[in-house]
Amino acid sequence: MRRSKYERPAHLESAAPGGVRLKTSAMIASIAGPNQRTKPAPFGHALVELGKTRPDVLGLTADLSKYTDLHVFAKAYPDRFYQMGMAEQVMISAAAGLAREGFTPFATTYAVFASRRAYDFIFMAIAEENLNVKIVCALPGLTTGYGPSHQATEDIAIFRGMPQLTIVDPCDALEIEQAVPAIAAHQGPVYMRLLRGNVPLVLDEYGYRFELGKAKTIRDGRDVLIVSSGLMTMRALETAKRLEADRIDVAVLHVPTIKPLDVETIRRECAKTGRMVVVAENHTIIGGLGEAVAGELMRSGIHPTAFRQIALPDAFLDAGALPTLHDRYGISTDAMTARIKEWLSS
């Protein structure tokens, strides 16, 4: 059996940071922290709401409706729900055919299965034809403890090179609810990373409104700019609050649309003088938001005071409880706060 180079202390096997006891179910649990506000199945409920006015909207699953929250839609509209079995390539092909007939299919599975198993079908049947298929995938990045077979740590890198494919990485329940009708209104294929189950609710505190293709400054700050997507925006906001105690002023730029990138906003915010730019993402350091931002800054001739990345390592990650893994691989709030303080002091 493969051994990780990361040693696994025995006391971490059953306990999260802070000594909280974890059950086996924590390996597939919500990413919500203790006492954090959540909403159940925001994708499923948003799709049901959309279906009231959009009879063209269909739901397809590769035997994972319960684990992508599509079961909520299936219960509301059983005649518009298709169980395709454990056959992701067949599901994608069927979605392409339905789109050709004027429907708007939402095809759901795990991110690893769409990106690794069905890539060529998405490329040839959907993206090349610019069909109106929405591919919505659970367990993006490090949001499951079930090891490399289920951790889609490289999905954005895989899909960024695909022409005509829009890529969306929502932060919380509110953004998922707002993103569903937005991507349905968009003409063309979309890949959306999905946080499932009891999803944290964060952005409502900031009066946030999702706009496809737009990055938005959630909070301003003079010392550090964190450019983030997905759940890392939630972590960035938590980090910013913690660093206030050390009189470190942190801005957070949320980038929910990875492709096409909102280059104007990114250029403007990263060009402000005197700020370290830190790109934070729930994805391998290879080929994701960090490299997209770095490439844009290089092409634009923009040179921030410093440029750093917080991301998952270029490695096959361990299995285990999510709080432990997030701490181990540097994407927890604790790890993120410590890293930024270290960079600023060096």
Side-chain angles (χ1 to χ4, degrees):
M1 182 174 69
R2 179 185 62 85
R3 299 272 306 188
S4 170
K5 66 179 180 180
Y6 297 91
E7 292 300 318
R8 186 182 295 114
H11 71 280
L12 291 180
E13 291 299 334
S14 60
V20 179
R21 298 289 296 180
L22 295 173
K23 299 178 181 179
T24 303
S25 60
M27 295 177 69
I28 55 171
S30 168
I31 60 167
N35 304 316
Q36 189 170 30
R37 294 179 303 129
T38 63
K39 294 189 75 172
F43 168 66
H45 290 295
L47 201 61
V48 168
E49 191 64 26
L50 179 66
K52 293 178 181 178
T53 57
R54 291 283 303 269
D56 59 303
V57 168
L58 308 175
L60 286 74
T61 183
D63 203 33
L64 288 171
S65 62
K66 181 179 177 182
Y67 302 102
T68 60
D69 295 337
L70 192 65
H71 67 288
V72 180
F73 180 86
K75 183 177 180 180
Y77 305 109
D79 57 334
R80 290 155 64 180
F81 167 75
Y82 295 88
Q83 168 58 270
M84 306 303 297
M86 290 186 287
E88 293 81 13
Q89 296 167 343
V90 172
M91 178 183 70
I92 291 299
S93 299
L98 289 165
R100 284 186 174 278
E101 295 301 316
F103 294 100
T104 304
F106 279 70
T108 72
T109 183
Y110 287 162
V112 287
F113 302 149
S115 59
R116 298 178 196 167
R117 294 183 183 176
Y119 177 88
D120 193 47
F121 287 74
I122 295 170
F123 188 102
M124 298 299 297
I126 292 175
E128 186 181 17
E129 302 299 324
N130 200 33
L131 294 180
N132 206 27
V133 178
K134 318 305 171 184
I135 303 161
V136 181
C137 294
L139 305 188
L142 187 52
T143 53
T144 175
Y146 281 143
S149 65
H150 285 66
Q151 294 162 347
T153 58
E154 78 289 19
D155 57 324
I156 292 174
I158 289 171
F159 280 130
R160 271 185 63 217
M162 187 179 291
Q164 302 194 121
L165 182 68
T166 295
I167 302 174
V168 179
D169 189 16
C171 167
D172 73 342
L174 175 70
E175 188 159 45
I176 291 170
E177 290 174 339
Q178 295 177 354
V180 166
I183 66 174
H186 171 74
Q187 292 302 306
V190 176
Y191 171 72
M192 188 172 88
R193 296 176 117 203
L194 177 65
L195 302 175
R196 57 158 296 275
N198 292 318
V199 180
L201 186 60
V202 177
L203 294 178
D204 59 324
E205 298 178 14
Y206 299 87
Y208 177 82
R209 186 73 194 173
F210 173 82
E211 292 182 70
L212 190 62
K214 296 294 184 181
K216 296 192 176 182
T217 300
I218 306 298
R219 59 173 285 163
D220 206 358
R222 66 181 181 276
D223 300 317
V224 179
L225 170 66
I226 301 177
V227 182
S228 55
S229 67
L231 71 87
M232 292 308 291
T233 293
M234 177 181 71
R235 299 280 162 82
L237 292 168
E238 293 168 350
T239 296
K241 290 179 180 178
R242 290 192 187 184
L243 290 174
E244 285 179 349
D246 295 302
R247 297 184 180 180
I248 299 171
D249 199 13
V250 178
V252 176
L253 177 64
H254 178 45
V255 186
T257 307
I258 308 298
K259 186 182 179 183
L261 204 61
D262 184 355
V263 295
E264 291 185 7
T265 300
I266 288 171
R267 288 174 190 161
R268 182 183 69 245
E269 293 299 316
C270 291
K272 293 181 179 179
T273 57
R275 297 199 300 192
M276 172 187 288
V277 172
V278 177
V279 182
E281 58 186 317
N282 173 34
H283 185 271
T284 173
I285 199 167
I286 305 296
L289 178 64
E291 291 193 349
V293 171
E296 183 55 41
L297 297 184
M298 181 182 68
R299 288 187 291 270
S300 302
I302 296 171
H303 305 286
T305 301
F307 181 91
R308 300 287 186 269
Q309 286 181 262
I310 291 175
L312 299 170
D314 179 25
F316 294 107
L317 307 187
D318 289 339
L322 283 180
T324 300
L325 295 177
H326 284 194
D327 231 22
R328 179 175 300 171
Y329 294 117
I331 65 169
S332 68
T333 302
D334 287 345
M336 191 171 178
T337 302
R339 183 67 62 84
I340 291 175
K341 289 175 69 174
E342 177 186 338
W343 285 330
L344 288 172
S345 63
S346 62

